[in-house]
Amino acid sequence: QVHLVESGGGSVQAGGSLRLSCAASGFPYSSYCMGWFRQAPGKDRDSVARFESDGMIRYDDAVKGRFTISQDNAKNTLYLQMNSLKPEDTAMYYCAASIVRVSYGIKWCPWENNYWGQGTQVTVSS
């Protein structure tokens, strides 16, 4: 019973901030890569920010410098601090968990067949 539950979305004006949270349960949190994706109507679901298997963070260029991903392993919770929000940030934001694959001692997260949360809506008005 894997559950990823997002919260913290809402409507804000451009320049505002929001902090999203993702509470995870039902799987070994620390053994997965965790990340945030978003999807606007009519568009693909794209990665916003995610932890890779080595702990490095990958940000989409559109949010780099404005968003900060973090997590609390003890609480099995993922966060996304979003500052200086822009109208183009408007989307449904999803928490995701990727398995970690190992080959020749190298770990990586394929970000395929992820666990997904139900999403939390972020709307930014100008």
Side-chain angles (χ1 to χ4, degrees):
Q1 297 182 349
V2 173
H3 294 284
L4 297 172
V5 182
E6 301 94 338
S7 62
S11 298
V12 298
Q13 293 187 337
S17 298
L18 287 172
R19 189 191 189 199
L20 307 184
S21 298
C22 171
S25 63
F27 67 97
Y29 181 91
S30 62
S31 297
Y32 283 71
C33 291
M34 300 296 298
W36 290 97
F37 291 68
R38 67 184 180 185
Q39 185 172 27
K43 297 184 178 180
D44 294 332
R45 185 176 299 187
D46 296 323
S47 174
V48 176
R50 65 199 194 202
F51 287 97
E52 301 297 348
S53 60
D54 59 359
M56 294 185 66
I57 299 171
R58 182 189 292 267
Y59 289 102
D60 183 84
D61 288 340
V63 308
K64 193 170 185 178
R66 299 187 298 117
F67 291 10
T68 303
I69 188 172
S70 62
Q71 60 185 332
D72 186 336
N73 290 329
K75 296 181 178 180
N76 289 4
T77 302
L78 183 74
Y79 304 97
L80 184 67
Q81 179 66 47
M82 305 185 295
N83 298 326
S84 302
L85 283 162
K86 303 176 180 179
E88 50 263 45
D89 294 319
T90 296
M92 185 72 74
Y93 283 70
Y94 298 91
C95 177
S98 170
I99 63 168
V100 179
R101 295 194 181 279
V102 181
S103 181
Y104 296 100
I106 301 174
K107 301 178 181 179
W108 78 93
C109 291
W111 293 102
E112 298 176 352
N113 302 118
N114 305 318
Y115 291 133
W116 294 100
Q118 292 299 115
T120 184
Q121 179 67 40
V122 171
T123 302
V124 184
S125 60
S126 60

